[in-house]
Amino acid sequence: DAMVIQNPRYQVTQFGKPVTLSCSQTLNHNVMYWYQQKSSQAPKLLFHYYDKDFNNEADTPDNFQSRRPNTSFCFLDIRSPGLGDAAMYLCATSRYSGEQFFGPGTRLTVL
Amino acid sequence: GEDVEQSLFLSVREGDSSVINCTYTDSSSTYLYWYKQEPGAGLQLLTYIFSNMDMKQDQRLTVLLNKKDKHLSLRIADTQTGDSAIYFCAESDGVTGANNLFFGTGTRLTVIP
């Protein structure tokens, strides 16, 4: 089945230790998104890739970076995680401005 | 920027109808969406409505849009225990060729057997 896959589902890192979250898709969608969802809050868009073009939201901290080496994969890099970065990170894809399909999320714990 | 608001909690008895409300501020929204999130899971698109429509029905789900008041609602008929989840409304900014979504705070629906 075509889908959006996120690995790992649960990630534990230490304060200040860089961490990378992974997202892959078999839908061949040209747009990939990363959202941050803190406990009991709404998902918040961090950035998206439209094809190879990176689009950052204005209030996304510099601590968050992303890479998209090919159509299928997109990575979220957190350079120096702080306690406030503990959250669920959701990846989504869409074909242009069509419906977004979400992955199951990666829950990040920062110790 | 976009601001989307929802009430935080709703409890209904099994078999009753549920109505979840949402207000938004961005009048340029093209589409408005309802997503369902079960515990520990990602977001599942339930339904959406185009901004030039007033109502959309899809099986047990009815979406009503009052564009003048910027008010969106989701009615779930014959609510079941499996409907217990958090429901998010979302609007897209329609600015870019992508589909950036801005979510409300979510309404936690509890269905009482």
Side-chain angles (χ1 to χ4, degrees):
Chain A
D1 289 338
M3 56 198 318
V4 182
I5 302 161
Q6 291 188 244
N7 285 307
R9 294 293 310 278
Y10 301 90
Q11 176 73 57
V12 180
T13 191
Q14 290 181 326
F15 183 94
K17 185 175 180 182
V19 66
T20 295
L21 308 183
S22 169
C23 178
S24 64
Q25 53 126 344
T26 60
L27 298 159
N28 203 33
H29 284 170
N30 67 315
V31 189
M32 294 186 77
Y33 310 78
W34 280 103
Y35 291 84
Q36 179 193 60
Q37 186 181 21
K38 295 188 177 180
S39 183
S40 302
Q41 294 186 23
K44 181 177 179 298
L45 180 66
L46 294 173
F47 28 60
H48 76 268
Y49 267 97
Y50 187 99
D51 296 323
K52 295 181 181 179
D53 294 331
F54 178 70
N55 296 271
N56 200 27
E57 289 299 301
D59 55 356
T60 298
D62 292 340
N63 197 25
F64 292 88
Q65 304 286 321
S66 187
R67 295 171 284 135
R68 189 179 186 187
N70 54 51
T71 302
S72 301
F73 284 86
C74 194
F75 300 100
L76 170 61
D77 300 309
I78 308 176
R79 292 193 296 190
S80 182
L83 298 179
D85 296 328
M88 175 80 88
Y89 289 87
L90 297 167
C91 173
T93 73
S94 71
R95 187 175 186 284
Y96 299 102
S97 60
E99 177 187 344
Q100 284 193 31
F101 291 81
F102 282 82
T106 294
R107 183 170 295 283
L108 178 68
T109 300
V110 182
L111 300 177
Chain B
E2 293 81 358
D3 191 15
V4 184
E5 295 191 357
Q6 301 176 235
S7 52
L8 292 180
F9 302 99
L10 176 66
S11 292
V12 298
R13 294 207 170 275
E14 189 174 16
D16 289 349
S17 293
S18 308
V19 179
I20 302 171
N21 295 301
C22 171
T23 58
Y24 61 98
T25 58
D26 186 359
S27 58
S28 66
S29 296
T30 308
Y31 287 95
L32 295 139
Y33 303 83
W34 283 103
Y35 281 84
K36 178 182 180 183
Q37 187 177 37
E38 298 188 46
L43 295 165
Q44 174 195 356
L45 177 66
L46 287 178
T47 187
Y48 64 91
I49 189 167
F50 190 51
S51 60
N52 69 351
M53 297 170 63
D54 297 326
M55 185 182 89
K56 180 179 179 183
Q57 186 153 4
D58 184 1
Q59 299 181 27
R60 291 191 298 124
L61 305 178
T62 303
V63 179
L64 294 177
L65 175 61
N66 181 328
K67 199 172 181 181
K68 175 176 171 288
D69 294 339
K70 298 191 182 70
H71 181 266
L72 181 73
S73 68
L74 173 69
R75 179 176 180 270
I76 306 172
D78 187 25
T79 313
Q80 303 298 307
T81 54
D83 295 325
S84 291
I86 300 176
Y87 290 80
F88 291 95
C89 68
E91 59 174 353
S92 60
D93 61 4
V95 173
T96 66
N99 188 16
N100 295 342
L101 294 178
F102 297 89
F103 288 87
T105 49
T107 298
R108 182 180 295 275
L109 174 65
T110 301
V111 181
I112 304 164

